Amino acid sequence: MSGANLTSMSAAPILVVGSVALDSVRTPFGEVVDALGGSASYFSMSASHFAPVRLVAVVGDDFPGEHCALLESRGVDLSGLERADGRTFRWRGEYAAELGHAHTLETQLNVFSTFHPRLDDTHRKTPFVFLANIDPDLQLEVLRQIKRPVLSLSDTMNYWIARKPDRVLDVLREVDVALLNEEEARALAGETQLVRAADRLLEQGARAVIVKKGEHGALYQSREERFITPAFPVHGLTDPTGAGDSFAGGFIGWLARCGDLGPNALRQALACGATMASLAIEDFSPRRLVEARPEEILERLRTLHGMMHFDLLDPFAAPR
Amino acid sequence: MSGANLTSMSAAPILVVGSVALDSVRTPFGEVVDALGGSASYFSMSASHFAPVRLVAVVGDDFPGEHCALLESRGVDLSGLERADGRTFRWRGEYAAELGHAHTLETQLNVFSTFHPRLDDTHRKTPFVFLANIDPDLQLEVLRQIKRPVLSLSDTMNYWIARKPDRVLDVLREVDVALLNEEEARALAGETQLVRAADRLLEQGARAVIVKKGEHGALYQSREERFITPAFPVHGLTDPTGAGDSFAGGFIGWLARCGDLGPNALRQALACGATMASLAIEDFSPRRLVEARPEEILERLRTLHGMMHFDLLDPFAAPR
């Protein structure tokens, strides 16, 4: 465990509200049963490499203490992790050879079905906030409770876009940056071309969107700026679960750590997101994120930077 | 026409062997009938912005003089454009709303069916060579005729991978860089994961491959290096025909112009490829490539560079 560098003096804390789950996942490379999962878990493990994380979620009375210990080993503040009577939220899914899309076999909301995030005073004043993929009505409840943060980021999924598109758009308008995957952006915007879809979401009131494109990286687009990161090329893809939340953790983690929201910081934040996502998918559950050493994260960041960085020459300058 | 800057004193000439065709294309944004098309046409229009181009192809006796004039307006040397008795190669296709894949309605090889590239002494000694998408047996005929060039680049298509996979691999092993799209790379390598597919092609003897990913950019991979460019985000996508050949023109065009094959030059070459592809798809036929002004190309290059360029900070350096 590399818990030693968690609480950098300069890094601002991050609040995450989302799910903590027990996942049973099968991929062509193996399977796990009742492993630690959920958007808030992946996010926390990822972001904790950059800044202290405060987690708000709910688990049942069957939730193993070892999972809490693992989160705490990464310095995650679990004072907001509610323990309710009943069973923990469970997800069971599998991926085919292409690994592109999860096929959900079973979702048991359990204690999550009656969850309403309760934020204490410390939670409310956290400067960086991630609203992980939960019911947009719950996301709006959180937004009503918090003091205006330095940066808020939201995630969602097709399930909510199909059922509550207006609520998803309400969240989109409230947060600083909205995270969506390609399909979700297309569905919510009603546009097949990705660049137009991002534009359309801005017209609909989003301040900035990040479109996650899986193995093709991610696109950040605000009214003023557009940045792109490729994905970090992974050879040992094992389980794509949690890639998006791990991306979010690297993205907001870097911003919380560097204390800058300028263009250079945003571009590096995308690269940090891509880096953390590449680690997450190399093993089941957020195991790889727990093990990752700072040198390893830095090495991937350097590789990713090196793949795209060049000094631009003017092709039409006078012949040399 | 911006023919004035074609023949930069420093740019090395490029030979292209491929098809010159009459295309009839329909997209949701309009249609053209018997417009100038073919891999060598798109490539030439694109590359001519960077370096002088020598074209080797065949057309029939019905090929309009105005198309030759248009190519010549961009300084393209047509001394290798054979005129055969019969009709010019024709392709008819359409794109659905997604614009991802062309649906071929009709292919008439016509004079192309008996084409064998005949290279004169000047052609043989050209330092940069692009083997556009034609029968791999013809590509091998060209390779046998030419003097070892500074850089050779090949393209292909699924049609040949399905029918002559061994010949396609023979070409791959002979050239310096092999260009494929995502599907072609997966089909030829027999690997669904793109990073593994690229690795597999290198194991099979390729020196370097570029995998074109359409709106997701392109990946260059050799045994030593891996570079990535995003696509230039286009709002006015009109007709994707010729995007790959235009990419090839920008890629090899920049290398021929800058006279450098180092990592910085290769990364900029990818960006030049993405830039020229983005222009090509904004109109039917290679019209946009003909009109493009140097300032416009430079502006797109700067935008593309700006979307990904950042100064990397070490997240784990001592707190500031």
Side-chain angles (χ1 to χ4, degrees):
Chain A
M1 313 289 157
S2 55
N5 72 316
L6 297 180
T7 45
S8 157
M9 303 293 288
S10 60
I14 306 169
L15 174 71
V16 53
V17 183
S19 62
V20 171
L22 294 174
D23 282 356
S24 298
V25 183
R26 188 185 308 168
T27 81
F29 308 105
E31 66 178 311
V32 287
V33 174
D34 281 351
L36 175 61
S39 55
S41 306
Y42 279 97
F43 175 86
S44 298
M45 293 301 198
S46 170
S48 66
H49 287 275
F50 299 93
V53 176
R54 300 166 181 165
L55 184 154
V56 170
V58 63
V59 293
D61 46 28
D62 59 347
F63 191 70
E66 66 195 88
H67 293 342
C68 291
L70 200 63
L71 285 158
E72 283 172 332
S73 79
R74 294 264 354 127
V76 179
D77 172 358
L78 297 184
S79 63
L81 182 64
E82 197 184 321
R83 263 185 187 273
D85 291 338
R87 280 161 62 81
T88 300
F89 173 41
R90 276 172 170 75
W91 179 73
R92 199 156 61 84
E94 64 181 17
Y95 295 83
E98 293 259 349
L99 288 175
H101 290 273
H103 176 53
T104 292
L105 299 170
E106 189 183 12
T107 302
Q108 298 178 11
L109 284 179
N110 297 333
V111 295
F112 214 81
S113 60
T114 54
F115 176 55
H116 288 275
R118 277 189 298 252
L119 276 58
D120 69 21
D121 206 49
T122 307
H123 294 139
R124 289 170 207 263
K125 292 179 180 159
T126 311
F128 289 81
V129 174
F130 179 54
L131 301 170
N133 163 37
I134 50 175
D135 187 324
D137 280 314
L138 295 188
Q139 293 180 319
L140 291 166
E141 279 182 28
V142 174
L143 286 168
R144 278 194 291 271
Q145 292 179 62
I146 58 176
K147 200 177 152 290
R148 170 97 197 99
V150 173
L151 187 94
S152 55
L153 179 71
S154 69
D155 194 11
T156 190
M157 69 183 293
N158 269 345
Y159 182 90
W160 303 118
I161 293 171
R163 280 160 188 78
K164 301 184 172 185
D166 292 342
R167 290 286 84 73
V168 171
L169 283 170
D170 286 342
V171 174
L172 216 83
R173 290 184 191 108
E174 292 280 326
V175 296
D176 296 299
V177 185
L179 203 59
L180 307 101
N181 70 25
E182 234 175 313
E183 259 182 86
E184 291 158 7
R186 291 196 169 107
L188 190 60
E191 269 286 354
T192 54
Q193 287 182 43
L194 214 51
V195 177
R196 284 176 193 257
D199 284 344
R200 184 86 193 91
L201 294 173
L202 298 178
E203 284 163 25
Q204 289 175 290
R207 280 174 217 150
V209 294
I210 295 176
V211 184
K212 295 171 291 175
K213 307 191 290 176
E215 68 171 330
H216 300 302
L219 167 77
Y220 170 97
Q221 193 164 336
S222 71
R223 280 162 215 169
E224 302 78 31
E225 298 171 309
R226 180 182 288 138
F227 306 131
I228 283 180
T229 185
F232 182 92
V234 164
H235 285 81
L237 178 47
T238 299
D239 173 15
T241 309
D245 299 300
S246 307
F247 180 96
F251 178 80
I252 203 167
W254 169 246
L255 297 175
R257 187 174 188 97
C258 76
D260 176 10
L261 299 176
N264 200 74
L266 285 169
R267 277 172 279 202
Q268 175 153 354
L270 290 176
C272 287
T275 297
M276 300 314 287
S278 77
L279 288 165
I281 63 181
E282 287 186 346
D283 202 345
F284 288 94
S285 203
R287 284 180 202 156
R288 257 318 250 118
L289 294 174
V290 178
E291 292 161 8
R293 289 163 297 106
E295 311 82 65
E296 191 176 18
I297 295 171
L298 179 59
E299 179 57 34
R300 287 199 182 198
L301 265 175
R302 286 198 172 124
T303 302
L304 191 62
H305 183 259
M307 290 196 310
M308 51 182 162
H309 176 86
F310 66 95
D311 299 315
L312 181 66
L313 301 178
D314 176 356
F316 309 110
R320 274 140 295 154
Chain B
M1 311 292 157
S2 56
N5 72 315
L6 297 180
T7 45
S8 158
M9 303 294 287
S10 60
I14 306 168
L15 173 73
V16 53
V17 183
S19 62
V20 171
L22 295 174
D23 282 356
S24 297
V25 182
R26 187 186 307 171
T27 81
F29 308 105
E31 67 178 310
V32 288
V33 175
D34 282 350
L36 175 61
S39 55
S41 306
Y42 279 96
F43 175 86
S44 298
M45 293 301 197
S46 171
S48 66
H49 287 275
F50 299 93
V53 176
R54 300 166 181 165
L55 184 154
V56 170
V58 63
V59 292
D61 47 29
D62 58 349
F63 191 70
E66 67 195 87
H67 292 343
C68 292
L70 201 62
L71 284 158
E72 282 172 334
S73 78
R74 294 265 351 127
V76 178
D77 171 358
L78 298 183
S79 63
L81 182 64
E82 197 184 321
R83 264 186 187 271
D85 291 338
R87 279 160 64 82
T88 300
F89 173 41
R90 274 172 171 76
W91 178 74
R92 198 156 63 84
E94 64 181 17
Y95 294 83
E98 293 260 349
L99 288 173
H101 290 273
H103 176 55
T104 292
L105 299 170
E106 190 183 12
T107 302
Q108 297 178 11
L109 285 179
N110 297 334
V111 294
F112 214 80
S113 60
T114 53
F115 176 55
H116 288 275
R118 278 190 296 252
L119 276 58
D120 70 21
D121 206 49
T122 307
H123 294 139
R124 288 169 207 261
K125 291 179 181 159
T126 311
F128 289 80
V129 174
F130 179 54
L131 302 170
N133 164 35
I134 50 175
D135 187 325
D137 280 314
L138 295 189
Q139 293 180 318
L140 291 167
E141 279 182 26
V142 174
L143 286 168
R144 278 193 291 271
Q145 292 180 59
I146 58 177
K147 199 175 153 293
R148 170 96 196 97
V150 173
L151 187 94
S152 55
L153 178 71
S154 68
D155 194 11
T156 188
M157 70 183 292
N158 269 344
Y159 182 90
W160 303 119
I161 292 171
R163 280 161 187 79
K164 300 183 172 186
D166 292 343
R167 290 285 84 72
V168 172
L169 283 171
D170 285 342
V171 174
L172 217 83
R173 291 184 191 107
E174 292 279 327
V175 295
D176 296 300
V177 184
L179 201 60
L180 307 101
N181 71 25
E182 235 175 313
E183 259 182 86
E184 290 157 7
R186 291 196 169 105
L188 190 58
E191 271 285 353
T192 54
Q193 288 183 42
L194 213 52
V195 177
R196 284 176 195 257
D199 283 344
R200 184 84 193 90
L201 294 173
L202 297 179
E203 284 163 25
Q204 290 175 291
R207 280 174 218 150
V209 294
I210 294 175
V211 183
K212 297 171 289 175
K213 307 191 290 176
E215 66 170 333
H216 300 301
L219 166 76
Y220 171 97
Q221 194 164 335
S222 70
R223 279 162 216 171
E224 302 78 31
E225 298 171 309
R226 180 183 288 139
F227 306 130
I228 283 179
T229 184
F232 182 92
V234 164
H235 285 80
L237 176 49
T238 299
D239 173 15
T241 309
D245 299 301
S246 307
F247 180 96
F251 178 81
I252 205 167
W254 169 247
L255 297 176
R257 187 173 188 98
C258 77
D260 176 10
L261 299 176
N264 201 73
L266 285 169
R267 278 174 279 203
Q268 175 152 354
L270 290 176
C272 287
T275 297
M276 300 314 288
S278 78
L279 288 165
I281 64 181
E282 287 185 346
D283 203 346
F284 288 93
S285 202
R287 284 180 201 156
R288 257 317 250 119
L289 294 175
V290 177
E291 291 161 8
R293 289 162 297 107
E295 311 82 64
E296 190 176 18
I297 295 170
L298 179 59
E299 181 57 34
R300 288 200 181 199
L301 264 175
R302 287 199 172 125
T303 301
L304 192 62
H305 183 257
M307 290 196 310
M308 51 181 161
H309 176 87
F310 66 95
D311 299 316
L312 180 66
L313 300 179
D314 176 356
F316 309 111
R320 276 140 292 152

